[in-house]
Amino acid sequence: MKILKKTIPLWAVLLVVILSASAVVAAIVATRQVSFTMRILAHNDIELYEHDHATILTSIALGDFYRKDVKSFPSNAPASYYYIDNIGEANVWVSWSKSGTYPTGVTVTMMVDYGSGFKSVTEGTVIVQPIYAPPQANSNFKWYLTITATETAQIGTFTPKIVWNAQDVAP
């Protein structure tokens, strides 16, 4: 009677050893998760335009004032006005503020039309009527300002500025 001997190939033995070792290592590895919180925000941006609604407004030539002068800009406001357009991706609320140097005895009155005629808006007041992101309708407001120099207005040369601020509409 002949005894048949079977041998196990070396590669099979190595495979069993590697798989066993992997199972042991996998059993002793600890894992931890880190969770994240994130927001994806839309870019908000505005642009100011001249009365032609084509030329970007970067400065207004106020010219000379005398005490008791009252001047509107553009000069034939409210028949003519400037524009503030939403050119961003989000609906925004806007507000305005003064910066630069203003003489004492001078007031600025900002008039804004956000769909229902011109209304006076005080400095720092957020206009809660949104300017919608394009291409939606109502993606701009109309505005003009009036500057009044009182009879006691400070005499000198000044560099006043108006700053428009845009913020995302509250959710």
Side-chain angles (χ1 to χ4, degrees), residues 41-107:
L41 302 173
H43 173 71
N44 68 35
D45 199 2
I46 54 175
E47 190 65 76
L48 304 175
Y49 289 95
E50 292 275 0
H51 61 279
D52 63 4
H53 207 176
T55 307
I56 293 175
L57 178 65
T58 57
S59 66
I60 300 172
L62 299 179
D64 294 331
F65 276 77
Y66 293 96
R67 290 177 170 165
K68 298 185 185 178
D69 275 354
V70 177
K71 295 183 182 183
S72 293
F73 300 91
S75 60
N76 59 344
S80 182
Y81 35 79
Y82 303 117
Y83 291 88
I84 180 168
D85 283 21
N86 184 343
I87 60 169
E89 302 168 329
N91 298 340
V92 295
W93 289 337
V94 294
S95 62
W96 72 277
S97 59
K98 295 184 294 189
S99 72
T101 57
Y102 276 84
T104 57
V106 169
T107 60

Coordinates of all heavy atoms in Angstrom, one line a residue, residues 41-107:
L41 N -21.3 80.1 3.0 CA -21.9 81.4 2.9 C -21.9 81.9 1.5 O -20.9 81.6 0.7 CB -21.1 82.4 3.8 CG -21.1 82.0 5.3 CD1 -20.2 83.0 6.1 CD2 -22.4 82.0 5.9
A42 N -22.8 82.7 1.2 CA -22.9 83.4 -0.1 C -22.1 84.7 0.0 O -22.0 85.3 1.0 CB -24.3 83.7 -0.5
H43 N -21.4 85.0 -1.1 CA -20.7 86.3 -1.1 C -21.6 87.4 -1.3 O -22.5 87.4 -2.1 CB -19.7 86.2 -2.3 CG -19.0 87.4 -2.6 ND1 -18.0 87.9 -1.8 CD2 -19.1 88.3 -3.6 CE1 -17.5 89.0 -2.3 NE2 -18.2 89.3 -3.4
N44 N -21.5 88.4 -0.4 CA -22.4 89.6 -0.7 C -21.5 90.8 -1.1 O -20.4 90.9 -0.6 CB -23.3 89.9 0.6 CG -22.5 90.4 1.8 OD1 -21.5 91.1 1.7 ND2 -23.0 90.0 2.9
D45 N -22.1 91.6 -2.0 CA -21.3 92.7 -2.5 C -22.3 93.7 -3.1 O -23.4 93.3 -3.6 CB -20.3 92.3 -3.6 CG -19.2 93.3 -3.8 OD1 -19.2 94.4 -3.1 OD2 -18.4 93.1 -4.7
I46 N -22.0 94.9 -3.1 CA -22.8 96.0 -3.6 C -21.9 96.9 -4.5 O -20.7 96.9 -4.4 CB -23.5 96.8 -2.5 CG1 -22.5 97.4 -1.5 CG2 -24.6 96.0 -1.9 CD1 -23.1 98.3 -0.5
E47 N -22.6 97.6 -5.4 CA -21.9 98.6 -6.2 C -22.8 99.8 -6.3 O -24.0 99.8 -6.3 CB -21.7 98.0 -7.6 CG -20.8 98.9 -8.5 CD -19.3 98.9 -8.0 OE1 -18.6 97.9 -8.1 OE2 -19.0 99.9 -7.4
L48 N -22.1 101.0 -6.3 CA -22.8 102.3 -6.4 C -22.7 102.8 -7.8 O -21.6 102.7 -8.4 CB -22.2 103.3 -5.4 CG -22.2 102.8 -4.0 CD1 -21.5 103.8 -3.1 CD2 -23.6 102.6 -3.5
Y49 N -23.8 103.3 -8.4 CA -23.8 103.8 -9.7 C -24.2 105.3 -9.8 O -25.1 105.7 -9.0 CB -24.7 103.0 -10.6 CG -24.1 101.6 -10.9 CD1 -24.5 100.5 -10.1 CD2 -23.2 101.4 -11.9 CE1 -24.0 99.2 -10.4 CE2 -22.6 100.1 -12.2 CZ -23.0 99.1 -11.4 OH -22.5 97.8 -11.6
E50 N -23.7 106.0 -10.8 CA -24.2 107.3 -11.1 C -25.7 107.3 -11.6 O -26.2 106.2 -11.8 CB -23.3 107.9 -12.3 CG -21.9 108.2 -11.9 CD -21.7 109.5 -11.3 OE1 -22.7 110.3 -11.1 OE2 -20.6 109.8 -10.9
H51 N -26.2 108.4 -11.8 CA -27.6 108.5 -12.2 C -27.9 107.8 -13.5 O -29.1 107.5 -13.8 CB -28.0 110.0 -12.3 CG -27.3 110.8 -13.3 ND1 -26.0 111.3 -13.0 CD2 -27.5 111.1 -14.6 CE1 -25.6 111.9 -14.1 NE2 -26.5 111.8 -15.1
D52 N -26.9 107.6 -14.4 CA -27.2 106.8 -15.6 C -27.3 105.3 -15.4 O -27.6 104.6 -16.4 CB -26.1 107.2 -16.7 CG -24.7 106.7 -16.2 OD1 -24.5 106.1 -15.2 OD2 -23.7 107.0 -17.0
H53 N -27.0 104.9 -14.2 CA -27.0 103.4 -13.8 C -26.1 102.6 -14.7 O -26.3 101.4 -14.9 CB -28.4 102.9 -13.9 CG -28.7 101.7 -13.0 ND1 -29.9 101.1 -12.8 CD2 -27.8 101.0 -12.2 CE1 -29.8 100.1 -12.0 NE2 -28.5 100.1 -11.5
A54 N -25.0 103.2 -15.2 CA -24.0 102.5 -16.0 C -22.6 102.8 -15.5 O -21.7 102.0 -15.5 CB -24.1 102.9 -17.4
T55 N -22.4 104.1 -15.0 CA -21.1 104.5 -14.5 C -20.9 104.3 -13.0 O -21.8 104.7 -12.3 CB -20.9 106.0 -14.8 OG1 -21.1 106.2 -16.2 CG2 -19.5 106.4 -14.5
I56 N -19.9 103.6 -12.6 CA -19.6 103.3 -11.2 C -19.3 104.6 -10.5 O -18.5 105.4 -11.0 CB -18.5 102.3 -11.0 CG1 -18.9 100.9 -11.6 CG2 -18.1 102.2 -9.6 CD1 -17.9 99.8 -11.6
L57 N -20.0 104.8 -9.4 CA -19.9 106.0 -8.6 C -18.7 105.8 -7.6 O -18.8 105.0 -6.7 CB -21.2 106.3 -7.9 CG -21.2 107.6 -6.9 CD1 -21.0 108.8 -7.7 CD2 -22.5 107.6 -6.2
T58 N -17.7 106.6 -7.7 CA -16.6 106.6 -6.8 C -16.4 107.8 -6.0 O -15.8 107.8 -4.9 CB -15.2 106.2 -7.5 OG1 -15.0 107.2 -8.5 CG2 -15.3 104.9 -8.1
S59 N -16.9 109.0 -6.5 CA -16.8 110.2 -5.7 C -17.9 111.2 -6.2 O -18.5 111.0 -7.3 CB -15.4 110.9 -5.9 OG -15.3 111.3 -7.3
I60 N -18.2 112.1 -5.4 CA -19.2 113.1 -5.7 C -18.5 114.5 -5.4 O -18.0 114.7 -4.3 CB -20.5 113.0 -4.8 CG1 -21.2 111.6 -5.0 CG2 -21.5 114.1 -5.1 CD1 -22.3 111.3 -4.1
A61 N -18.5 115.3 -6.4 CA -18.0 116.7 -6.3 C -19.0 117.6 -5.5 O -19.9 118.0 -6.1 CB -17.6 117.2 -7.6
L62 N -18.7 117.8 -4.3 CA -19.7 118.6 -3.5 C -19.5 120.1 -3.7 O -20.5 120.8 -3.6 CB -19.5 118.3 -2.0 CG -19.7 116.9 -1.5 CD1 -19.4 116.8 0.0 CD2 -21.1 116.4 -1.8
G63 N -18.3 120.5 -4.1 CA -18.1 121.9 -4.4 C -18.1 122.7 -3.2 O -17.9 122.3 -2.1
D64 N -18.3 124.0 -3.4 CA -18.2 125.0 -2.3 C -19.6 125.2 -1.6 O -20.6 125.2 -2.3 CB -17.7 126.4 -2.7 CG -16.3 126.3 -3.2 OD1 -15.5 125.5 -2.7 OD2 -15.9 127.1 -4.1
F65 N -19.6 125.3 -0.3 CA -20.8 125.6 0.4 C -20.6 127.0 1.2 O -19.5 127.3 1.6 CB -21.0 124.5 1.5 CG -21.7 123.3 1.0 CD1 -21.1 122.4 0.3 CD2 -23.1 123.1 1.3 CE1 -21.7 121.2 -0.2 CE2 -23.7 122.0 0.8 CZ -23.1 121.1 0.1
Y66 N -21.7 127.7 1.3 CA -21.7 128.9 2.2 C -22.7 128.5 3.3 O -23.5 127.6 3.2 CB -22.2 130.1 1.4 CG -21.2 130.5 0.3 CD1 -21.4 130.1 -1.0 CD2 -20.1 131.3 0.7 CE1 -20.4 130.5 -1.9 CE2 -19.2 131.7 -0.3 CZ -19.4 131.3 -1.6 OH -18.5 131.7 -2.5
R67 N -22.5 129.2 4.4 CA -23.5 129.0 5.5 C -24.9 129.2 5.0 O -25.1 130.1 4.1 CB -23.2 129.9 6.6 CG -21.9 129.6 7.3 CD -21.5 130.5 8.4 NE -20.4 130.0 9.2 CZ -19.7 130.7 10.0 NH1 -20.0 132.0 10.2 NH2 -18.7 130.2 10.7
K68 N -25.8 128.4 5.4 CA -27.2 128.4 5.1 C -27.5 127.7 3.7 O -28.6 127.7 3.3 CB -27.8 129.7 5.1 CG -27.8 130.4 6.5 CD -28.6 131.7 6.4 CE -28.5 132.5 7.7 NZ -29.2 133.8 7.6
D69 N -26.5 127.2 3.1 CA -26.7 126.4 1.8 C -27.3 125.1 2.0 O -27.0 124.4 3.0 CB -25.3 126.2 1.1 CG -24.9 127.4 0.2 OD1 -25.6 128.3 0.1 OD2 -23.8 127.3 -0.3
V70 N -28.2 124.7 1.1 CA -28.8 123.4 1.1 C -28.6 122.8 -0.3 O -29.1 123.5 -1.3 CB -30.3 123.4 1.5 CG1 -30.9 122.0 1.4 CG2 -30.5 124.0 2.9
K71 N -27.9 121.8 -0.5 CA -27.6 121.2 -1.8 C -27.9 119.7 -1.8 O -27.6 119.0 -0.8 CB -26.1 121.4 -2.2 CG -25.7 122.9 -2.3 CD -24.3 123.0 -2.8 CE -23.8 124.4 -2.9 NZ -22.5 124.5 -3.4
S72 N -28.5 119.3 -2.9 CA -28.8 117.9 -3.1 C -27.8 117.3 -4.2 O -27.4 118.0 -5.1 CB -30.2 117.7 -3.6 OG -31.1 118.0 -2.6
F73 N -27.6 116.0 -4.0 CA -26.7 115.3 -4.9 C -27.3 114.0 -5.3 O -27.6 113.2 -4.5 CB -25.3 115.1 -4.3 CG -24.6 116.4 -3.9 CD1 -24.8 116.9 -2.6 CD2 -23.9 117.1 -4.8 CE1 -24.3 118.1 -2.3 CE2 -23.3 118.3 -4.4 CZ -23.5 118.8 -3.2
P74 N -27.6 113.8 -6.6 CA -27.3 114.7 -7.8 C -28.1 116.0 -7.6 O -29.1 116.1 -6.9 CB -27.8 113.9 -9.0 CG -28.1 112.5 -8.5 CD -28.2 112.5 -7.1
S75 N -27.7 117.0 -8.4 CA -28.2 118.3 -8.1 C -29.7 118.5 -8.5 O -30.3 119.3 -7.9 CB -27.4 119.3 -9.0 OG -27.5 119.0 -10.3
N76 N -30.2 117.6 -9.3 CA -31.6 117.8 -9.6 C -32.5 116.7 -8.9 O -33.5 116.3 -9.4 CB -31.9 117.8 -11.1 CG -31.3 116.5 -11.8 OD1 -30.5 115.8 -11.2 ND2 -31.8 116.3 -13.0
A77 N -32.0 116.2 -7.8 CA -32.7 115.1 -7.0 C -34.0 115.8 -6.5 O -34.0 117.0 -6.3 CB -31.9 114.7 -5.9
P78 N -35.1 115.0 -6.4 CA -35.2 113.6 -6.6 C -35.5 113.2 -8.0 O -35.8 112.0 -8.3 CB -36.4 113.2 -5.7 CG -37.2 114.4 -5.7 CD -36.3 115.6 -5.8
A79 N -35.6 114.1 -9.0 CA -35.8 113.7 -10.4 C -34.7 112.8 -10.9 O -34.9 112.0 -11.8 CB -36.0 114.9 -11.3
S80 N -33.5 113.0 -10.4 CA -32.3 112.2 -10.7 C -31.8 111.6 -9.4 O -31.9 112.3 -8.4 CB -31.3 113.1 -11.4 OG -30.2 112.3 -11.8
Y81 N -31.1 110.5 -9.5 CA -30.7 109.8 -8.3 C -29.6 108.9 -8.6 O -29.3 108.6 -9.8 CB -31.8 109.1 -7.6 CG -32.8 108.5 -8.5 CD1 -32.5 107.3 -9.2 CD2 -34.0 109.1 -8.8 CE1 -33.4 106.8 -10.1 CE2 -34.9 108.6 -9.7 CZ -34.6 107.4 -10.4 OH -35.5 106.9 -11.3
Y82 N -28.9 108.4 -7.6 CA -27.9 107.3 -7.7 C -28.5 106.0 -7.4 O -29.6 105.9 -7.0 CB -26.8 107.6 -6.7 CG -26.1 108.9 -6.8 CD1 -26.2 109.8 -5.7 CD2 -25.4 109.3 -7.9 CE1 -25.6 111.1 -5.8 CE2 -24.8 110.6 -8.0 CZ -24.9 111.4 -7.0 OH -24.3 112.7 -7.0
Y83 N -27.7 104.9 -7.7 CA -28.2 103.6 -7.5 C -27.2 102.8 -6.6 O -26.0 103.0 -6.7 CB -28.3 102.8 -8.9 CG -29.4 103.3 -9.8 CD1 -29.1 104.3 -10.7 CD2 -30.6 102.7 -9.8 CE1 -30.1 104.8 -11.5 CE2 -31.6 103.2 -10.6 CZ -31.4 104.2 -11.5 OH -32.3 104.7 -12.3
I84 N -27.8 101.9 -5.9 CA -27.0 100.9 -5.1 C -27.5 99.6 -5.6 O -28.7 99.3 -5.4 CB -27.1 101.1 -3.6 CG1 -26.2 100.1 -2.9 CG2 -28.5 101.1 -3.1 CD1 -26.0 100.4 -1.4
D85 N -26.6 98.8 -6.2 CA -27.0 97.5 -6.8 C -26.4 96.4 -6.0 O -25.3 96.5 -5.5 CB -26.5 97.4 -8.2 CG -27.3 98.1 -9.2 OD1 -28.0 99.1 -8.8 OD2 -27.2 97.8 -10.4
N86 N -27.1 95.3 -5.8 CA -26.6 94.1 -5.2 C -25.9 93.3 -6.4 O -26.6 92.9 -7.3 CB -27.8 93.2 -4.7 CG -27.3 92.0 -4.0 OD1 -26.2 91.6 -4.1 ND2 -28.1 91.4 -3.1
I87 N -24.6 93.1 -6.3 CA -23.9 92.4 -7.3 C -23.3 91.1 -6.7 O -22.5 90.4 -7.3 CB -22.8 93.2 -7.9 CG1 -21.8 93.7 -6.9 CG2 -23.4 94.4 -8.7 CD1 -20.5 94.3 -7.4
G88 N -23.8 90.7 -5.5 CA -23.3 89.5 -4.9 C -24.2 88.3 -5.1 O -25.1 88.3 -6.0
E89 N -24.1 87.3 -4.3 CA -24.9 86.0 -4.4 C -25.9 85.9 -3.3 O -26.7 85.0 -3.3 CB -23.9 84.8 -4.2 CG -22.8 84.8 -5.2 CD -21.7 83.8 -4.9 OE1 -21.5 83.5 -3.7 OE2 -21.1 83.3 -5.8
A90 N -26.0 86.9 -2.4 CA -27.0 86.8 -1.3 C -27.8 88.0 -1.3 O -27.4 89.1 -1.7 CB -26.2 86.7 0.0
N91 N -29.0 87.9 -0.8 CA -29.9 89.0 -0.5 C -29.3 89.8 0.6 O -28.8 89.2 1.6 CB -31.3 88.6 -0.2 CG -32.0 87.8 -1.3 OD1 -31.6 87.9 -2.4 ND2 -33.0 87.0 -0.9
V92 N -29.3 91.1 0.5 CA -28.6 92.0 1.5 C -29.5 93.1 2.0 O -30.5 93.5 1.4 CB -27.3 92.6 1.0 CG1 -26.3 91.5 0.7 CG2 -27.5 93.5 -0.2
W93 N -29.2 93.5 3.3 CA -29.8 94.7 3.8 C -28.7 95.7 3.8 O -27.5 95.4 3.9 CB -30.2 94.5 5.3 CG -31.4 93.6 5.5 CD1 -32.4 93.4 4.6 CD2 -31.8 92.9 6.7 NE1 -33.4 92.6 5.1 CE2 -33.0 92.3 6.4 CE3 -31.2 92.8 7.9 CZ2 -33.6 91.5 7.4 CZ3 -31.8 92.0 8.8 CH2 -33.0 91.3 8.6
V94 N -29.0 97.0 3.7 CA -27.9 98.0 3.6 C -28.2 99.1 4.7 O -29.3 99.2 5.2 CB -27.8 98.7 2.2 CG1 -27.4 97.7 1.2 CG2 -29.1 99.3 1.8
S95 N -27.1 99.7 5.0 CA -27.1 100.9 5.9 C -26.0 101.9 5.4 O -25.2 101.5 4.6 CB -26.9 100.5 7.4 OG -25.6 99.9 7.5
W96 N -26.1 103.1 5.9 CA -25.1 104.0 5.5 C -24.5 104.7 6.7 O -25.1 104.7 7.8 CB -25.6 105.1 4.5 CG -26.6 106.1 5.1 CD1 -27.9 105.9 5.4 CD2 -26.2 107.4 5.6 NE1 -28.4 107.0 6.0 CE2 -27.4 107.9 6.1 CE3 -25.0 108.1 5.7 CZ2 -27.5 109.2 6.7 CZ3 -25.1 109.4 6.2 CH2 -26.3 109.9 6.7
S97 N -23.3 105.2 6.6 CA -22.7 106.0 7.7 C -21.7 107.0 7.1 O -21.4 107.0 5.9 CB -21.9 105.0 8.6 OG -20.9 104.3 7.9
K98 N -21.4 108.0 7.9 CA -20.5 109.0 7.5 C -19.1 108.6 8.0 O -18.9 108.0 9.0 CB -20.8 110.4 8.2 CG -22.2 110.9 7.7 CD -22.5 112.3 8.3 CE -22.6 112.2 9.8 NZ -23.1 113.4 10.4
S99 N -18.1 109.0 7.2 CA -16.7 108.9 7.6 C -15.9 110.1 7.1 O -16.5 110.9 6.4 CB -16.1 107.5 7.1 OG -15.9 107.6 5.7
G100 N -14.6 110.1 7.4 CA -13.9 111.3 6.9 C -14.1 112.5 7.9 O -14.6 112.3 9.0
T101 N -13.8 113.7 7.4 CA -14.0 114.8 8.3 C -15.2 115.6 7.8 O -15.4 116.0 6.7 CB -12.8 115.7 8.3 OG1 -12.5 116.1 6.9 CG2 -11.5 115.0 8.8
Y102 N -16.1 115.9 8.8 CA -17.3 116.7 8.6 C -17.2 117.9 9.4 O -16.9 117.8 10.6 CB -18.6 115.9 8.9 CG -19.1 115.0 7.8 CD1 -18.6 113.7 7.7 CD2 -20.1 115.4 6.9 CE1 -19.0 112.9 6.7 CE2 -20.5 114.6 5.9 CZ -20.0 113.4 5.8 OH -20.4 112.5 4.8
P103 N -17.6 119.1 8.9 CA -17.6 120.3 9.7 C -18.7 120.2 10.7 O -19.8 119.6 10.4 CB -17.7 121.4 8.7 CG -18.4 120.8 7.5 CD -17.9 119.3 7.5
T104 N -18.6 120.9 11.8 CA -19.7 121.0 12.7 C -20.7 121.9 12.0 O -20.4 122.8 11.2 CB -19.3 121.6 14.1 OG1 -18.7 122.9 13.8 CG2 -18.4 120.7 14.8
G105 N -22.0 121.8 12.3 CA -23.1 122.6 11.8 C -23.5 122.2 10.4 O -24.1 122.9 9.6
V106 N -23.1 121.0 10.0 CA -23.5 120.4 8.7 C -24.3 119.1 8.9 O -23.8 118.3 9.7 CB -22.3 120.2 7.8 CG1 -22.6 119.4 6.5 CG2 -21.6 121.5 7.4
T107 N -25.4 119.0 8.2 CA -26.2 117.8 8.3 C -26.3 117.1 7.0 O -26.3 117.8 5.9 CB -27.6 118.0 8.9 OG1 -28.3 118.9 8.0 CG2 -27.6 118.6 10.3

